[in-house]
Amino acid sequence: MPLALLALAVGAFGIGTTEFVMMGLLPDVADDLNISIPSAGHLVSAYALGVVIGAPLLAAATARMSRRTVLIALMALFVAGNALSAFAPGEVSLLAARFVSGLPHGAFFGVGAVVATGMVAPERKARSVSLMFLGLTVANIVGVPAATAMGQQLGWRATFLGVSAIGVVAIAALVALIPRENAPAPTTGLRGELAALRSVPVWLALGTTVAGFGALFAAYSYITPMLTDAAGFAEAGVTLLLALFGVGATAGNLLGGRLADHSLRGTLFGGLVSLVLVLALFPLLMRSEVTAAGAVALLGMAAFITGSPLQLMVMEKAAAAPSLASSANQAAFNLANAGGAWIGGLALAAGFGVTSPATAGAGLAVLGLAVAGAAWAVDRRRGADAAVSGRERVVAGHVPEEAEAVRR
């Protein structure tokens, strides 16, 4: 694997840290700015909104630029957004800064995935994507806890200055490690990128991302009350358990990348089936501390097995112009975050019990399987149509029998 993937992983580490650290800093931010916890929660939504808007917008705006230059520019915007967050004087300015911080998120992962797969042999494409995503999963194990501790000891503004510093290191790594010839400007331009989004298989792949990762976030958004109220953990132990989720996610990400290079669709189906089973068993697993701890790690593993296969599938369905579709997949991931949390909240509000979000998540994972199955059926149908079309062209052209035998 090329060393340049390390530069992409460093950028992913910084992005993953700033995305999730706000959850741990909400009380500190609320106290400092004299706002309520629910109001401070809007800072999480502002970041997610920036991701959803920025992913396709920035990918489209930079369609003619060198991908190496795009990655560096996106990381510079990331640094600026986090620096603005550190010096924001009030709630409104901090909301705006968090929105700016989210803008480069999706486009960085989208363009980065295209660059990563372009630097390796075809049989290692999924693994290259999983190594870039490694920065995101490791952020949940190391980056978020460390940044949260920094914020609690030195103030939440110090956290965002620290994240900005990670972004500067990522820029230096991108400049030093990614060769210009491995990340040239696309030849298709914006028109080609937009044309790729008219493909039904691309939208089915994006739909699988929304449903599959929506299943994860339906449960994970409410993992703390499940662990405390159902499994009986003290609140102080939840942080360590969330690190177990990161460990499972990291293992699942690496395993998914390796397996997907052998069977992309098989790995996707296997991951989704595993996610259905884990979420369906969550109410039972939450009855003891030992099985609950295992369930948290298994949830991370089952969900992130599908990460690189889904990213690669979207890119392959938009093979001629993959940057915009790849970035759109990151927007789909954040839609899954918001939608899954909302659906899990509905289950709780309906009085179905503290573990009901996991059951709702299992239903979403089944929906993800159905969409993935529809995508598989469309691919088979298109393959059959192409074969029929090829035979018709042979007949129409009166290809000799010997030539037809050679063709076969």
Side-chain angles (χ1 to χ4, degrees):
M1 286 293 173
L3 193 59
L5 293 177
L6 176 63
L8 297 173
V10 172
F13 178 82
I15 289 174
T17 300
T18 201
E19 179 181 18
F20 294 109
V21 75
M22 183 55 74
M23 287 76 159
L25 295 178
L26 284 183
D28 302 275
V29 174
D31 289 344
D32 186 55
L33 299 181
N34 294 315
I35 59 177
S36 67
I37 293 290
S39 294
H42 295 157
L43 297 168
V44 178
S45 302
Y47 184 93
L49 182 62
V51 178
V52 173
I53 293 176
L57 184 65
L58 292 179
T62 58
R64 285 289 186 184
M65 295 173 59
S66 158
R67 289 180 177 131
R68 179 177 183 271
T69 302
V70 170
L71 289 171
I72 294 169
L74 290 171
M75 194 48 58
L77 181 59
F78 168 82
V79 171
N82 282 280
L84 288 171
S85 298
F87 295 107
E91 180 185 5
V92 174
S93 56
L94 184 55
L95 280 168
R98 287 293 290 169
F99 175 78
V100 171
S101 299
L103 287 174
H105 176 131
F108 182 88
F109 279 108
V111 175
V114 175
V115 171
T117 56
M119 292 189 293
V120 298
E123 65 273 13
R124 290 178 175 263
K125 285 186 175 183
R127 237 173 299 182
S128 71
V129 173
S130 71
L131 288 177
M132 180 186 68
F133 283 162
L134 186 64
L136 180 65
T137 57
V138 170
N140 282 283
I141 306 173
V142 179
V144 173
T148 301
M150 177 188 291
Q152 292 169 345
Q153 296 298 318
L154 303 176
W156 64 269
R157 297 179 187 275
T159 293
F160 291 110
L161 286 177
V163 173
S164 295
I166 296 174
V168 172
V169 172
I171 290 174
L174 291 168
V175 171
L177 298 178
I178 295 188
R180 295 180 185 274
E181 61 271 17
N182 283 349
T187 58
T188 53
L190 179 57
R191 181 175 295 180
E193 297 283 351
L194 291 173
L197 286 181
R198 292 201 294 266
S199 166
V200 171
V202 168
W203 283 102
L204 287 172
L206 294 174
T208 306
T209 296
V210 173
F213 275 94
L216 165 66
F217 286 111
Y220 188 64
S221 301
Y222 305 96
I223 195 69
T224 297
M226 286 191 224
L227 291 171
T228 55
D229 298 350
F233 282 100
E235 288 188 9
V238 171
T239 301
L240 180 60
L241 290 166
L242 295 184
L244 276 179
F245 174 85
V247 171
T250 300
N253 172 55
L254 292 174
L255 179 63
R258 182 169 291 275
L259 292 176
D261 279 328
H262 296 285
S263 174
L264 181 62
R265 203 177 295 274
T267 303
L268 176 59
F269 279 116
L272 288 171
V273 169
S274 300
L275 189 57
V276 171
L277 293 175
V278 170
L279 288 170
L281 291 173
F282 238 63
L284 293 176
L285 296 173
M286 285 291 146
R287 292 180 180 178
S288 79
E289 292 186 353
V290 174
T291 56
V296 172
L298 287 173
L299 177 62
M301 177 177 285
F304 278 86
I305 280 177
T306 65
S308 51
L310 279 170
Q311 189 72 37
L312 194 58
M313 185 169 292
V314 170
M315 291 163 57
E316 288 189 350
K317 300 308 176 188
S323 294
L324 183 56
S326 181
S327 300
N329 193 52
Q330 294 301 310
F333 180 88
N334 277 267
L335 285 174
N337 190 338
W342 176 67
I343 290 173
L346 288 179
L348 273 179
F352 293 129
V354 71
T355 59
S356 61
T359 305
L364 284 173
V366 171
L367 177 61
L369 269 172
V371 178
W376 175 74
V378 168
D379 282 350
R380 282 179 58 88
R381 176 65 180 174
R382 290 192 170 199
D385 288 346
V388 170
S389 177
R391 287 195 295 271
E392 289 174 348
R393 284 196 300 271
V394 169
V395 172
H398 300 290
V399 176
E401 189 173 0
E402 311 88 77
E404 174 65 6
V406 171
R407 183 190 298 272
R408 289 175 178 171

Short mmCIF file of all heavy atoms in Angstrom, two decimals, residues 13 28 52 59 88 100 120 128 145 193 206 256 269 285 394 403:
data_model
loop_
_atom_site.label_atom_id
_atom_site.label_comp_id
_atom_site.label_asym_id
_atom_site.label_seq_id
_atom_site.Cartn_x
_atom_site.Cartn_y
_atom_site.Cartn_z
N PHE A 13 -8.59 11.31 10.31
CA PHE A 13 -8.50 11.32 11.77
C PHE A 13 -8.95 12.67 12.32
O PHE A 13 -9.73 12.74 13.28
CB PHE A 13 -7.07 11.02 12.20
CG PHE A 13 -6.85 11.05 13.69
CD1 PHE A 13 -7.17 9.96 14.48
CD2 PHE A 13 -6.32 12.18 14.30
CE1 PHE A 13 -6.98 9.99 15.86
CE2 PHE A 13 -6.11 12.22 15.66
CZ PHE A 13 -6.44 11.12 16.45
N ASP A 28 -19.79 21.81 28.54
CA ASP A 28 -18.80 22.88 28.70
C ASP A 28 -19.14 24.07 27.81
O ASP A 28 -19.03 25.23 28.23
CB ASP A 28 -17.41 22.34 28.35
CG ASP A 28 -17.02 21.16 29.21
OD1 ASP A 28 -16.51 21.35 30.31
OD2 ASP A 28 -17.25 20.01 28.76
N VAL A 52 -23.77 17.63 4.56
CA VAL A 52 -24.76 17.28 3.54
C VAL A 52 -24.73 18.28 2.39
O VAL A 52 -24.81 17.89 1.21
CB VAL A 52 -26.17 17.20 4.17
CG1 VAL A 52 -27.23 17.01 3.09
CG2 VAL A 52 -26.24 16.06 5.17
N ALA A 59 -17.69 19.15 -4.33
CA ALA A 59 -17.24 18.20 -5.35
C ALA A 59 -17.57 18.70 -6.74
O ALA A 59 -16.77 18.56 -7.68
CB ALA A 59 -17.89 16.84 -5.11
N ALA A 88 -14.85 31.73 18.28
CA ALA A 88 -16.22 32.22 18.14
C ALA A 88 -16.67 32.90 19.43
O ALA A 88 -16.60 32.31 20.51
CB ALA A 88 -17.16 31.07 17.80
N VAL A 100 -19.21 25.67 8.70
CA VAL A 100 -18.04 25.75 7.81
C VAL A 100 -17.13 24.54 8.01
O VAL A 100 -16.60 23.98 7.04
CB VAL A 100 -17.27 27.06 8.06
CG1 VAL A 100 -15.94 27.07 7.30
CG2 VAL A 100 -18.11 28.27 7.65
N VAL A 120 -3.60 2.17 -6.36
CA VAL A 120 -3.36 0.74 -6.06
C VAL A 120 -3.87 -0.12 -7.20
O VAL A 120 -4.61 0.33 -8.08
CB VAL A 120 -4.06 0.33 -4.74
CG1 VAL A 120 -3.52 1.13 -3.56
CG2 VAL A 120 -5.57 0.50 -4.84
N SER A 128 -7.68 -0.10 0.06
CA SER A 128 -7.15 1.26 0.10
C SER A 128 -8.17 2.22 0.70
O SER A 128 -7.82 3.12 1.47
CB SER A 128 -6.76 1.72 -1.31
OG SER A 128 -7.89 1.95 -2.13
N PRO A 145 -11.67 10.80 22.69
CA PRO A 145 -11.42 10.85 24.14
C PRO A 145 -10.33 11.86 24.51
O PRO A 145 -10.46 12.59 25.50
CB PRO A 145 -10.98 9.42 24.48
CG PRO A 145 -11.59 8.58 23.40
CD PRO A 145 -11.55 9.43 22.17
N GLU A 193 -19.76 14.49 -14.24
CA GLU A 193 -20.06 14.13 -12.86
C GLU A 193 -21.57 14.11 -12.62
O GLU A 193 -22.10 13.21 -11.95
CB GLU A 193 -19.39 15.12 -11.89
CG GLU A 193 -17.87 15.13 -11.94
CD GLU A 193 -17.25 13.94 -11.23
OE1 GLU A 193 -17.98 13.20 -10.56
OE2 GLU A 193 -16.02 13.75 -11.36
N LEU A 206 -26.59 4.53 -2.98
CA LEU A 206 -26.74 5.59 -1.98
C LEU A 206 -27.87 5.26 -1.00
O LEU A 206 -27.77 5.52 0.20
CB LEU A 206 -27.01 6.93 -2.67
CG LEU A 206 -25.87 7.50 -3.52
CD1 LEU A 206 -26.34 8.76 -4.26
CD2 LEU A 206 -24.66 7.83 -2.65
N GLY A 256 -13.71 -5.53 6.41
CA GLY A 256 -14.56 -5.27 5.25
C GLY A 256 -13.75 -4.92 4.01
O GLY A 256 -14.06 -5.37 2.90
N PHE A 269 -23.59 -7.79 1.59
CA PHE A 269 -24.73 -8.57 2.09
C PHE A 269 -24.40 -9.20 3.45
O PHE A 269 -25.23 -9.20 4.37
CB PHE A 269 -25.12 -9.66 1.10
CG PHE A 269 -25.99 -9.17 -0.03
CD1 PHE A 269 -25.54 -9.21 -1.34
CD2 PHE A 269 -27.26 -8.67 0.22
CE1 PHE A 269 -26.34 -8.74 -2.38
CE2 PHE A 269 -28.06 -8.21 -0.81
CZ PHE A 269 -27.60 -8.24 -2.11
N LEU A 285 -28.97 -8.95 24.73
CA LEU A 285 -27.58 -8.73 25.10
C LEU A 285 -27.43 -7.64 26.16
O LEU A 285 -26.44 -7.60 26.89
CB LEU A 285 -26.75 -8.38 23.86
CG LEU A 285 -26.66 -9.48 22.79
CD1 LEU A 285 -25.96 -8.96 21.55
CD2 LEU A 285 -25.93 -10.70 23.34
N VAL A 394 -24.70 -9.15 -33.29
CA VAL A 394 -24.00 -10.17 -34.06
C VAL A 394 -24.87 -10.67 -35.20
O VAL A 394 -24.43 -10.80 -36.35
CB VAL A 394 -23.59 -11.34 -33.13
CG1 VAL A 394 -23.12 -12.52 -33.95
CG2 VAL A 394 -22.49 -10.89 -32.17
N ALA A 403 -16.35 -16.83 -36.62
CA ALA A 403 -16.03 -15.63 -35.83
C ALA A 403 -16.87 -15.62 -34.54
O ALA A 403 -16.40 -15.23 -33.49
CB ALA A 403 -16.30 -14.37 -36.64
#
